[in-house]
């Protein structure tokens, strides 16, 4: 394994990590939306600079769209 990434789908906005840092008006706007959060990304130092992080981000965003997340 040279890289790994994680994304989490949430049933409520209150489950999203660090959501308390988001201004209240934004939290209210997202209250009834389908949510996913991008959490962790690691790339082996020997393989950095090859675009792996970007590719993993694109894959996660595509998966979120496919599974119906309205907000990531």
């Amino acid at each position: 394994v040279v890289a790994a990434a994680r994304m989490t789908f949430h049933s409520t906005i209150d489950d999203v990590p660090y959501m308390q840092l988001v201004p209240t008006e934004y939290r209210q706007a997202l209250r009834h939306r389908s949510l996913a959060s991008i959490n962790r990304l690691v790339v082996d130092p020997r393989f950095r600079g090859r675009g792996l992080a970007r590719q993993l981000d694109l894959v996660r965003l595509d998966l979120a769209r496919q599974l119906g997340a309205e907000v990531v």
Side-chain angles (χ1 to χ4, degrees):
V1 175
V2 298
R6 183 173 78 183
M7 179 172 57
T8 308
F9 291 85
H10 305 279
S11 56
T12 71
I13 193 161
D14 299 318
D15 294 336
V16 177
Y18 306 107
M19 188 50 65
Q20 72 276 10
L21 300 177
V22 174
T24 303
E25 61 271 16
Y26 293 125
R27 287 197 309 266
Q28 291 301 323
L30 297 173
R31 180 107 0 235
H32 300 290
R33 306 293 289 259
S34 174
L35 304 160
S37 62
I38 291 177
N39 307 105
R40 299 237 189 325
L41 174 78
V42 293
V43 177
D44 185 311
R46 297 170 295 169
F47 292 88
R48 291 180 183 165
R50 299 179 189 195
L52 293 172
R54 178 171 168 68
Q55 289 300 312
L56 288 171
D57 282 345
L58 294 174
V59 167
R60 290 187 286 181
L61 291 171
D62 188 49
L63 179 62
R65 276 189 219 92
Q66 288 178 34
L67 295 178
E70 299 173 272
V71 178
V72 178

